[in-house]
Amino acid sequence: MRVKQGFPIEDLAVRFKVSPSTVSRVFLTWANFLYFMLGQIPIWPTKVQVKANLPDCFKLTYPNTCVILDCTEIKVQTPSSKVLNSEFYSSYKSHTTYKGLVGISPNGSVTFVSSLFQGSVSDKEITRQSGILNLLEEGAEVMADKGFLIEDRLKKVNATLVIPPFLGKSKGCSVSGGKQFTAAEVSNTQEIARLRIHVQRAIRRVKEYHFFDRVQPLVLGGSVNQVWSVCCFLTNLKGPLF
Protein backbone atom coordinates (compact mmCIF):
# COMPACT_ATOMS: atom_id res chain seq x y z
CA MET A 1 0.00 0.00 0.00
CA ARG A 2 2.86 2.37 0.73
CA VAL A 3 4.86 1.61 -2.40
CA LYS A 4 2.31 0.52 -4.99
CA GLN A 5 -0.56 2.86 -4.07
CA GLY A 6 1.58 5.62 -2.60
CA PHE A 7 -0.47 6.01 0.58
CA PRO A 8 1.15 8.50 3.00
CA ILE A 9 2.52 7.25 6.29
CA GLU A 10 -0.11 9.21 8.24
CA ASP A 11 -2.90 7.58 6.22
CA LEU A 12 -1.59 4.08 6.90
CA ALA A 13 -1.17 4.89 10.58
CA VAL A 14 -4.88 5.70 10.81
CA ARG A 15 -5.93 2.68 8.74
CA PHE A 16 -3.98 0.20 10.86
CA LYS A 17 -4.39 2.04 14.18
CA VAL A 18 -0.65 2.35 14.83
CA SER A 19 1.70 5.29 15.17
CA PRO A 20 3.34 6.92 12.11
CA SER A 21 6.73 5.91 13.51
CA THR A 22 5.64 2.26 13.50
CA VAL A 23 4.54 2.52 9.87
CA SER A 24 7.84 4.14 8.94
CA ARG A 25 9.84 1.52 10.80
CA VAL A 26 7.98 -1.42 9.21
CA PHE A 27 8.28 0.14 5.75
CA LEU A 28 12.01 0.80 5.99
CA THR A 29 12.70 -2.63 7.51
CA TRP A 30 10.99 -4.44 4.65
CA ALA A 31 12.53 -2.17 2.02
CA ASN A 32 16.03 -2.96 3.30
CA PHE A 33 15.23 -6.67 3.66
CA LEU A 34 13.89 -7.00 0.11
CA TYR A 35 16.82 -4.99 -1.24
CA PHE A 36 19.23 -7.39 0.42
CA MET A 37 17.39 -10.59 -0.57
CA LEU A 38 16.50 -9.65 -4.15
CA GLY A 39 19.96 -8.19 -4.69
CA GLN A 40 21.40 -11.69 -4.40
CA ILE A 41 19.43 -12.90 -7.41
CA PRO A 42 21.46 -12.54 -10.63
CA ILE A 43 19.47 -10.70 -13.29
CA TRP A 44 22.28 -9.86 -15.74
CA PRO A 45 22.06 -12.37 -18.63
CA THR A 46 24.93 -13.78 -20.66
CA LYS A 47 25.21 -13.16 -24.41
CA VAL A 48 23.97 -16.69 -25.03
CA GLN A 49 20.87 -16.09 -22.89
CA VAL A 50 20.14 -12.79 -24.64
CA LYS A 51 20.48 -14.41 -28.06
CA ALA A 52 18.12 -17.21 -27.07
CA ASN A 53 15.39 -14.71 -26.17
CA LEU A 54 16.06 -12.09 -28.86
CA PRO A 55 12.86 -10.63 -30.36
CA ASP A 56 12.48 -10.64 -34.13
CA CYS A 57 12.63 -6.83 -34.30
CA PHE A 58 16.27 -6.99 -33.13
CA LYS A 59 17.35 -9.97 -35.22
CA LEU A 60 17.16 -8.07 -38.50
CA THR A 61 18.98 -4.90 -37.46
CA TYR A 62 20.93 -5.14 -34.18
CA PRO A 63 21.28 -8.85 -33.36
CA ASN A 64 24.25 -8.30 -31.00
CA THR A 65 22.43 -5.92 -28.67
CA CYS A 66 22.84 -7.06 -25.08
CA VAL A 67 21.42 -4.09 -23.18
CA ILE A 68 19.46 -0.89 -23.80
CA LEU A 69 20.35 1.94 -21.44
CA ASP A 70 18.50 5.02 -20.29
CA CYS A 71 18.55 7.33 -17.29
CA THR A 72 15.55 8.50 -15.34
CA GLU A 73 15.04 10.99 -12.54
CA ILE A 74 13.00 11.17 -9.34
CA LYS A 75 12.22 14.55 -7.82
CA VAL A 76 13.64 15.18 -4.37
CA GLN A 77 13.13 17.91 -1.79
CA THR A 78 15.28 20.97 -2.37
CA PRO A 79 18.20 21.06 0.11
CA SER A 80 18.74 24.20 2.15
CA SER A 81 22.47 24.05 1.36
CA LYS A 82 23.35 25.91 -1.83
CA VAL A 83 26.15 23.44 -2.52
CA LEU A 84 23.85 20.43 -2.26
CA ASN A 85 21.18 22.25 -4.23
CA SER A 86 23.57 22.74 -7.15
CA GLU A 87 24.63 19.09 -7.01
CA PHE A 88 21.06 17.79 -6.98
CA TYR A 89 19.65 20.30 -9.46
CA SER A 90 18.71 18.82 -12.84
CA SER A 91 18.50 21.27 -15.73
CA TYR A 92 16.45 18.68 -17.61
CA LYS A 93 13.73 18.54 -14.92
CA SER A 94 14.28 22.09 -13.61
CA HIS A 95 14.18 20.60 -10.13
CA THR A 96 16.42 18.82 -7.66
CA THR A 97 16.40 15.10 -8.41
CA TYR A 98 17.90 11.68 -7.90
CA LYS A 99 19.13 10.15 -11.13
CA GLY A 100 19.46 6.45 -11.88
CA LEU A 101 20.56 4.27 -14.77
CA VAL A 102 18.33 1.42 -15.92
CA GLY A 103 19.25 -1.27 -18.42
CA ILE A 104 16.96 -3.79 -20.08
CA SER A 105 17.62 -6.77 -22.32
CA PRO A 106 16.12 -6.70 -25.84
CA ASN A 107 13.17 -8.80 -24.64
CA GLY A 108 12.20 -6.07 -22.14
CA SER A 109 13.39 -7.53 -18.84
CA VAL A 110 15.17 -5.19 -16.41
CA THR A 111 18.71 -6.51 -16.19
CA PHE A 112 20.59 -3.62 -14.58
CA VAL A 113 19.71 -1.00 -11.97
CA SER A 114 22.29 1.49 -10.74
CA SER A 115 22.35 3.26 -7.44
CA LEU A 116 20.69 6.68 -7.41
CA PHE A 117 23.03 9.61 -8.03
CA GLN A 118 22.70 13.36 -7.63
CA GLY A 119 20.64 14.89 -10.42
CA SER A 120 23.41 17.00 -11.94
CA VAL A 121 25.51 13.97 -12.98
CA SER A 122 25.80 13.37 -16.73
CA ASP A 123 24.64 10.20 -18.49
CA LYS A 124 28.25 9.44 -19.36
CA GLU A 125 29.47 9.80 -15.79
CA ILE A 126 26.66 7.78 -14.27
CA THR A 127 27.42 4.98 -16.72
CA ARG A 128 31.07 5.03 -15.71
CA GLN A 129 30.33 4.98 -11.98
CA SER A 130 27.48 2.45 -12.11
CA GLY A 131 29.73 -0.53 -12.84
CA ILE A 132 27.79 -1.77 -15.88
CA LEU A 133 30.89 -1.59 -18.08
CA ASN A 134 32.41 -4.41 -16.03
CA LEU A 135 29.51 -6.69 -16.95
CA LEU A 136 29.79 -6.38 -20.73
CA GLU A 137 31.15 -9.28 -22.72
CA GLU A 138 33.37 -8.96 -25.77
CA GLY A 139 31.44 -8.15 -28.95
CA ALA A 140 28.36 -6.86 -27.13
CA GLU A 141 26.37 -3.93 -28.46
CA VAL A 142 24.98 -1.28 -26.10
CA MET A 143 22.03 0.74 -27.36
CA ALA A 144 21.48 4.18 -25.85
CA ASP A 145 20.52 7.80 -26.50
CA LYS A 146 22.86 10.51 -27.77
CA GLY A 147 23.80 11.61 -24.25
CA PHE A 148 25.70 8.39 -23.61
CA LEU A 149 29.07 9.36 -25.05
CA ILE A 150 30.78 6.22 -23.79
CA GLU A 151 32.21 4.84 -27.01
CA ASP A 152 35.79 5.28 -25.78
CA ARG A 153 35.08 3.29 -22.61
CA LEU A 154 33.24 0.56 -24.48
CA LYS A 155 36.23 0.07 -26.78
CA LYS A 156 38.30 -0.87 -23.75
CA VAL A 157 36.04 -3.90 -23.19
CA ASN A 158 35.65 -4.59 -26.94
CA ALA A 159 31.99 -3.56 -26.94
CA THR A 160 30.14 -1.32 -29.40
CA LEU A 161 27.87 1.69 -28.83
CA VAL A 162 24.69 2.05 -30.87
CA ILE A 163 23.23 5.57 -30.74
CA PRO A 164 21.40 7.78 -33.26
CA PRO A 165 23.75 9.66 -35.62
CA PHE A 166 24.71 13.26 -34.89
CA LEU A 167 23.78 15.93 -37.41
CA GLY A 168 27.21 17.49 -37.14
CA LYS A 169 28.77 14.33 -38.61
CA SER A 170 26.35 14.18 -41.51
CA LYS A 171 27.78 14.87 -44.95
CA GLY A 172 24.45 15.69 -46.56
CA CYS A 173 23.57 19.27 -47.41
CA SER A 174 20.24 20.96 -47.90
CA VAL A 175 19.38 23.27 -50.78
CA SER A 176 20.28 26.27 -48.65
CA GLY A 177 23.67 24.80 -47.83
CA GLY A 178 22.87 23.66 -44.30
CA LYS A 179 23.59 20.15 -43.07
CA GLN A 180 20.90 17.51 -42.94
CA PHE A 181 20.65 13.77 -42.36
CA THR A 182 21.04 11.42 -45.28
CA ALA A 183 18.22 8.98 -46.04
CA ALA A 184 20.23 6.16 -44.47
CA GLU A 185 20.82 8.18 -41.28
CA VAL A 186 17.13 9.06 -41.02
CA SER A 187 16.22 5.38 -41.35
CA ASN A 188 18.86 4.43 -38.77
CA THR A 189 17.60 7.06 -36.31
CA GLN A 190 14.02 5.85 -36.65
CA GLU A 191 15.01 2.23 -36.18
CA ILE A 192 17.02 2.93 -33.02
CA ALA A 193 14.19 5.06 -31.62
CA ARG A 194 11.72 2.27 -32.32
CA LEU A 195 13.84 -0.22 -30.40
CA ARG A 196 14.89 2.15 -27.59
CA ILE A 197 11.26 2.88 -26.70
CA HIS A 198 11.17 -0.41 -24.79
CA VAL A 199 13.52 0.85 -22.06
CA GLN A 200 11.30 3.90 -21.59
CA ARG A 201 8.31 1.60 -21.25
CA ALA A 202 10.14 -0.44 -18.63
CA ILE A 203 10.94 2.70 -16.64
CA ARG A 204 7.33 3.80 -16.91
CA ARG A 205 6.28 0.48 -15.39
CA VAL A 206 8.58 1.13 -12.44
CA LYS A 207 7.04 4.55 -11.93
CA GLU A 208 3.59 3.00 -11.83
CA TYR A 209 4.53 2.42 -8.20
CA HIS A 210 2.93 5.62 -6.90
CA PHE A 211 5.51 5.97 -4.16
CA PHE A 212 7.48 7.95 -6.76
CA ASP A 213 4.63 10.31 -7.70
CA ARG A 214 5.52 12.91 -5.09
CA VAL A 215 8.73 14.77 -4.28
CA GLN A 216 10.88 12.54 -2.09
CA PRO A 217 11.84 14.03 1.29
CA LEU A 218 15.54 14.25 2.07
CA VAL A 219 15.05 12.24 5.27
CA LEU A 220 14.39 9.17 3.07
CA GLY A 221 17.75 9.59 1.36
CA GLY A 222 19.10 6.49 3.07
CA SER A 223 16.26 4.26 1.85
CA VAL A 224 14.89 5.64 -1.42
CA ASN A 225 17.66 3.83 -3.30
CA GLN A 226 16.56 0.49 -1.83
CA VAL A 227 12.90 1.14 -2.68
CA TRP A 228 13.81 2.13 -6.24
CA SER A 229 15.92 -0.99 -6.78
CA VAL A 230 13.23 -3.30 -5.39
CA CYS A 231 10.54 -1.74 -7.60
CA CYS A 232 12.77 -2.12 -10.68
CA PHE A 233 13.26 -5.79 -9.87
CA LEU A 234 9.55 -6.38 -9.27
CA THR A 235 8.63 -5.08 -12.73
CA ASN A 236 10.07 -8.31 -14.14
CA LEU A 237 7.31 -10.17 -12.31
CA LYS A 238 4.66 -8.26 -14.25
CA GLY A 239 5.47 -10.24 -17.38
CA PRO A 240 7.31 -9.34 -20.62
CA LEU A 241 6.80 -6.11 -22.53
CA PHE A 242 6.20 -8.02 -25.75
Side-chain angles (χ1 to χ4, degrees):
M1 295 174 71
R2 174 78 172 120
V3 177
K4 178 60 178 175
Q5 303 300 332
F7 290 172
I9 288 178
E10 294 76 11
D11 180 284
L12 293 173
V14 173
R15 288 174 185 266
F16 292 96
K17 296 181 175 61
V18 295
S19 67
S21 60
T22 298
V23 175
S24 179
R25 184 170 59 252
V26 171
F27 170 69
L28 296 179
T29 298
W30 277 98
N32 291 327
F33 174 76
L34 288 173
Y35 177 78
F36 175 76
M37 295 300 294
L38 297 178
Q40 299 182 64
I41 301 175
I43 60 175
W44 181 263
T46 64
K47 283 179 61 177
V48 174
Q49 291 172 326
V50 173
K51 284 275 189 181
N53 297 282
L54 196 67
D56 292 337
C57 56
F58 279 87
K59 291 179 180 178
L60 299 175
T61 51
Y62 297 100
N64 295 319
T65 302
C66 70
V67 66
I68 310 170
L69 297 179
D70 200 7
C71 284
T72 188
E73 298 182 66
I74 303 169
K75 289 185 178 180
V76 65
Q77 178 184 357
T78 302
S80 57
S81 167
K82 292 184 178 180
V83 175
L84 288 177
N85 184 63
S86 63
E87 292 176 351
F88 278 93
Y89 186 79
S90 166
S91 57
Y92 178 71
K93 291 289 186 180
S94 299
H95 200 281
T96 48
T97 65
Y98 291 120
K99 187 173 185 178
L101 177 68
V102 176
I104 68 167
S105 64
N107 72 350
S109 299
V110 175
T111 57
F112 183 83
V113 183
S114 77
S115 299
L116 294 175
F117 293 79
Q118 295 163 329
S120 62
V121 67
S122 67
D123 294 346
K124 179 178 181 179
E125 183 62 19
I126 200 172
T127 304
R128 184 187 71 82
Q129 293 188 36
S130 68
I132 191 173
L133 299 177
N134 299 327
L135 300 174
L136 299 173
E137 298 180 53
E138 185 174 349
E141 287 185 352
V142 177
M143 185 173 290
D145 199 6
K146 291 182 178 180
F148 289 83
L149 304 177
I150 55 175
E151 189 172 7
D152 55 335
R153 298 190 177 276
L154 290 179
K155 285 182 178 179
K156 295 179 180 180
V157 294
N158 295 317
T160 306
L161 178 64
V162 177
I163 60 174
F166 285 89
L167 184 59
K169 296 183 179 180
S170 176
K171 297 180 180 179
C173 294
S174 64
V175 176
S176 61
K179 293 182 178 180
Q180 66 178 16
F181 287 125
T182 64
E185 288 173 329
V186 171
S187 178
N188 187 32
T189 299
Q190 292 174 342
E191 181 64 21
I192 294 175
R194 184 175 69 87
L195 298 177
R196 276 194 64 255
I197 193 67
H198 298 306
V199 71
Q200 296 168 5
R201 289 175 177 170
I203 291 173
R204 185 181 64 199
R205 296 174 86 185
V206 178
K207 291 188 175 181
E208 287 175 356
Y209 290 93
H210 295 292
F211 177 81
F212 302 109
D213 288 350
R214 57 180 58 84
V215 176
Q216 298 299 311
L218 288 172
V219 293
L220 276 181
S223 299
V224 67
N225 184 70
Q226 287 88 319
V227 178
W228 171 253
S229 299
V230 168
C231 290
C232 287
F233 182 91
L234 293 178
T235 55
N236 288 341
L237 303 181
K238 294 182 178 180
L241 286 169
F242 296 92

